[in-house]
Amino acid sequence: MIEILKNFFKQSFSYGIANIINKSSSFILLPLYTHYLSVSQYGNLEILLITYSFLLVLFQFGIGSAVMKSVLYDPIEEKKIIISTAFIFHIIALILIAFILIPLSKPIALLLFKNIEFNLYVKILFISVILNSLIAVPLALLRIEEKSKSYILLTAISSLSELGFNFFFLVYLKLGIEGIMLSILLKSIIIFIYFMILMKSEIVTKFSKSVLKEILFFGMPLIPAGIASMILTISDRYFLKFMAPPIELGLYSLGYRIGLLMALLINSFQLAWPTIMYKIADEKNAKAIFSKITTIYLIFLLFISLILSIYSKEIIEIISASNFHSAYRIVPFILISYVFFGFYYMTSIGINLKKKTKYEPLIVGSSALINLILNYLLIPAYGMYGAAIATLLSYMILVFLSIHISNKFFKINYNYHIITAIFLLTMIISIMANTIYFSTELYNYTFKFFLLFSFPLFLFISGIIKSSDIKGAFKIVQT
């Protein structure tokens, strides 16, 4: 158990460093964007960026997860044949998509922005997405071989190039949105070249139809689920753009970025988890191990979310101008929403192990549909607060559906009473920290410190965390 946890957290820590490097550029660039773009331009940029994210999920076809499953858990061919088959198919498919999409850039620009000048930006977006989609198989290869150091190097190169290009195009040449989109394109080209060099030694001439069939059987059901997942993540911004004042979109986007720090952490676990999950599945007491890891994982996520929630006001004030400061009010909603998302990822073990990914579209799709309905009902009346509430409720439903369906195929007895208690405790502390204020800053900081300290104190007093757990954690960290 300790050895499994060591490997899991070691890989998660490495991927976490990479993700911090990768995402930190977005936070560094935030003051730059707000200084060199108007409020309306920043809103349009946000729409371009979330459209980019949506298409990236769509065009990856779930092929990375399918390759990992085929190599690690249920190999039907040698690794190089699996990698080559998946990569060659992906290249051909994306070339065909490029020929279809690029001519449609003008009508799409008119649909989203009602401005023909955005035609160029949409074209750059399409090319960048296709280049980044092509790294799905090479990235899966890095994860299979647990080459987290190579992943760190890649993200460092990517982030530094993005910062450099943005400063050149936005600050020096003052190209506005065009400069930002050119920066994304050039960064995508650099990453693409890096991975092509990596893949050179892995490609063989043999193409296996049986491998492709297996990959598509596993990966294709993930596409609707991926689309639905992106709806959960980005639809609120589209609703805010068309159904709320422009300032609501700007404030919500900033608050959401702070919440994305939680998503960054969760993504680090997700990158490491599949490799560990398939190894744990071979253990005799696999279900007990899964339950234990999930509880520890959630305690860790909730504590980090609590830190960010308690000090969200101070964080917002440091990174933004005064007219953005009220954005902190939606941060706790987004943080807890993403903790639920992290929980969902852990509760889908049975679906992945038993090849029941066909249920993913049902689970995520149902949550996405509810999210759309809630956004439509709540945003016109409550603006960004309605969007935040809709997001939280939708992710809660996502977890409940996942547990219900996944446990039919691989039942795991999670510690529901402990999980419920720590979720409620986190929410209560967060509400207190963001609603109770004192006359002096010293009192406020002292009060927030004691609120934060009360979380681990409760865990020890209640017996949720024992001294043996701490000793085990120290062993993992020391190694």
Side-chain angles (χ1 to χ4, degrees), residues 30 251 254-259 261 304-333 335 385 429-442 444-445 447-448:
L30 187 58
L251 290 172
L254 177 60
Y256 206 99
R257 282 182 181 270
I258 304 303
L261 289 171
I304 298 299
S305 74
L306 196 56
I307 296 172
L308 294 172
S309 178
I310 288 175
Y311 296 105
S312 59
K313 188 173 185 290
E314 288 78 9
I315 294 171
I316 292 288
E317 289 175 351
I318 290 171
I319 68 170
S320 69
S322 59
N323 55 328
F324 281 92
H325 287 179
S326 59
Y328 82 93
R329 298 183 185 278
I330 65 106
V331 172
F333 294 96
L335 290 169
Y385 299 104
I429 295 174
S430 181
I431 290 170
M432 292 175 66
N434 286 283
T435 57
I436 300 175
Y437 298 100
F438 295 91
S439 56
T440 65
E441 288 299 318
L442 177 61
N444 282 323
Y445 284 121
F447 177 63
K448 289 185 176 184

Side-chain angles (χ1 to χ4, degrees), residues 298-367:
L298 283 175
I299 289 173
F300 177 72
L301 289 185
L302 285 167
F303 185 61
I304 298 299
S305 74
L306 196 56
I307 296 172
L308 294 172
S309 178
I310 288 175
Y311 296 105
S312 59
K313 188 173 185 290
E314 288 78 9
I315 294 171
I316 292 288
E317 289 175 351
I318 290 171
I319 68 170
S320 69
S322 59
N323 55 328
F324 281 92
H325 287 179
S326 59
Y328 82 93
R329 298 183 185 278
I330 65 106
V331 172
F333 294 96
I334 306 303
L335 290 169
I336 292 294
S337 298
Y338 272 101
V339 173
F340 271 105
F341 176 67
F343 189 16
Y344 153 73
Y345 199 79
M346 300 294 282
T347 60
S348 60
I349 293 169
I351 290 172
N352 287 298
L353 291 180
K354 301 302 179 181
K355 302 180 185 179
K356 301 296 182 180
T357 54
K358 64 182 180 181
Y359 288 97
E360 289 283 357
L362 173 64
I363 295 170
V364 187
S366 299
S367 303

Side-chain angles (χ1 to χ4, degrees), residues 68-79 82 214:
M68 291 192 69
K69 194 275 300 181
S70 296
V71 172
L72 293 172
Y73 188 65
D74 190 21
I76 57 174
E77 271 285 5
E78 63 177 270
K79 186 184 74 175
I82 295 172
E214 181 73 15

